[in-house]
Amino acid sequence: MASSASTSSRASASAPRPGANIDVGALWHSICEVVVKSLVAVEDEIAHQPNAFELFGFDVIIDDALRPWVLEVNASPSMARENALDRRVKELSLIHI
């Protein structure tokens, strides 16, 4: 069994460094894939609303190998814009609906 120090060293050695050249397009594609797969897995449980749509909020974490993992999914997430980051992210999201 590896010690936590050696595990930690391996993880940090493979983690992208600040300013590393990350393929953002490929990362975004991977995030979209886990979101779609999550929705497909529960599609029979989502009520069909022919005259409306449902907004889902996905919390995603990216590991040191740049793999996205869904942490949780929120139905009807809050669209309150309480700070500058909220305004930037949520207002852009509304434009794309």
Side-chain angles (χ1 to χ4, degrees), residues 1-12:
M1 182 172 182
S3 72
S4 62
S6 66
T7 303
S8 170
S9 296
R10 280 196 313 264
S12 63

Side-chain angles (χ1 to χ4, degrees), residues 34-76:
V34 297
V35 167
V36 169
K37 287 176 182 178
S38 298
L39 290 170
V40 167
V42 297
E43 71 180 323
D44 293 338
E45 304 300 320
I46 300 172
H48 178 66
Q49 301 290 334
N51 299 321
F53 67 92
E54 180 71 51
L55 182 64
F56 294 96
F58 281 77
D59 293 344
V60 177
I61 190 168
I62 300 166
D63 70 13
D64 59 352
L66 299 178
R67 290 178 304 218
W69 298 87
V70 174
L71 292 178
E72 72 173 348
V73 181
N74 300 299
S76 301

